Amino acid sequence: MKNAPIFLLFICIILSGTADAQKLSKKFSFGFGFDGGVTSGTISNVYSGAGGITLRAAYHLGPGFVTLTSGGLVYIPKSIAGVTPKAGVQIPVKAGYKYIFLKHLYAMGEVGFSSFTTYAAVAGTVTSFSSSGFTYAPGVGVQFGALDVGIRYESTAMTGGAYNLIGARIGFNF
């Protein structure tokens, strides 16, 4: 918590400057975001929520932006009888389109591939289980200069069921 004032100062400096981030006159932008959300579907039996950081590149095309998003989410485990779950890690790589339908409002759709690794302690030994699958993520949001705030439903189809996340992202574009 000692670093919280420094972090807030950094955010204020970023937001106070004049930013060209994702203005329709700008061809290319890059940003990062803090993601979080709650799980639903099969994955909610093991994990209650997730948080992480994503990186997004965007290229202006038509009335919106073509996007490429990647990053990492760490899932928060629930306790399960006989198994002590540790963190789950999802690494998505998604491409999509961010359609600006009003001055500050957008709708976005992304598709891609996610790798998911679960770590658990079984009989005193930490083991990992990996899987991967097709990911899709529709969402909506608002953007004001460099600030981008959105919500989305993200689903990854994997063997044994879908891993779903109802998430939010606070991002900063440059």
Side-chain angles (χ1 to χ4, degrees), residues 109-164:
E110 294 180 301
V111 294
F113 182 81
S114 286
S115 172
F116 196 91
T117 304
T118 301
Y119 299 92
V122 180
T125 304
V126 176
T127 59
S128 65
F129 309 95
S130 295
S131 57
S132 55
F134 172 76
T135 300
Y136 67 93
V140 294
V142 296
Q143 64 181 34
F144 295 97
L147 180 65
D148 181 349
V149 179
I151 57 172
R152 74 181 182 288
Y153 172 79
E154 185 167 315
S155 182
T156 302
M158 300 208 188
T159 304
Y163 290 7
N164 304 325

Side-chain angles (χ1 to χ4, degrees), residues 15 31-35 54 56 146-150 169-173:
L15 296 178
F32 68 94
F34 300 101
D35 288 61
T54 54
R56 179 173 291 152
L147 180 65
D148 181 349
V149 179
R169 179 178 189 269
I170 297 175
F172 303 96
N173 300 312

Side-chain angles (χ1 to χ4, degrees), residues 5-172:
I6 294 170
F7 178 72
L8 289 175
L9 178 64
F10 174 72
I11 297 302
C12 289
I13 290 170
I14 288 174
L15 296 178
S16 66
T18 56
D20 290 343
Q22 293 194 347
K23 287 185 178 180
L24 293 179
S25 62
K26 188 174 181 185
K27 278 296 194 188
F28 181 78
S29 70
F30 181 78
F32 68 94
F34 300 101
D35 288 61
V38 295
T39 59
S40 67
T42 307
I43 197 170
S44 65
N45 296 329
V46 181
Y47 299 104
S48 57
I53 297 176
T54 54
L55 302 174
R56 179 173 291 152
Y59 181 78
H60 181 244
L61 184 66
F65 296 86
V66 174
T67 63
L68 180 62
T69 305
S70 188
L73 296 172
V74 176
Y75 283 75
I76 304 162
K78 293 181 176 180
S79 55
I80 302 169
V83 177
T84 307
K86 303 291 181 191
V89 178
Q90 178 185 9
I91 310 261
V93 176
K94 301 176 288 187
Y97 192 76
K98 182 179 189 178
Y99 177 73
I100 312 296
F101 61 89
L102 286 175
K103 186 175 182 179
H104 297 287
L105 301 175
Y106 66 83
M108 184 171 185
E110 294 180 301
V111 294
F113 182 81
S114 286
S115 172
F116 196 91
T117 304
T118 301
Y119 299 92
V122 180
T125 304
V126 176
T127 59
S128 65
F129 309 95
S130 295
S131 57
S132 55
F134 172 76
T135 300
Y136 67 93
V140 294
V142 296
Q143 64 181 34
F144 295 97
L147 180 65
D148 181 349
V149 179
I151 57 172
R152 74 181 182 288
Y153 172 79
E154 185 167 315
S155 182
T156 302
M158 300 208 188
T159 304
Y163 290 7
N164 304 325
L165 181 73
I166 300 166
R169 179 178 189 269
I170 297 175
F172 303 96

Side-chain angles (χ1 to χ4, degrees), residues 1-6:
M1 280 298 171
K2 289 172 28 177
N3 292 331
I6 294 170

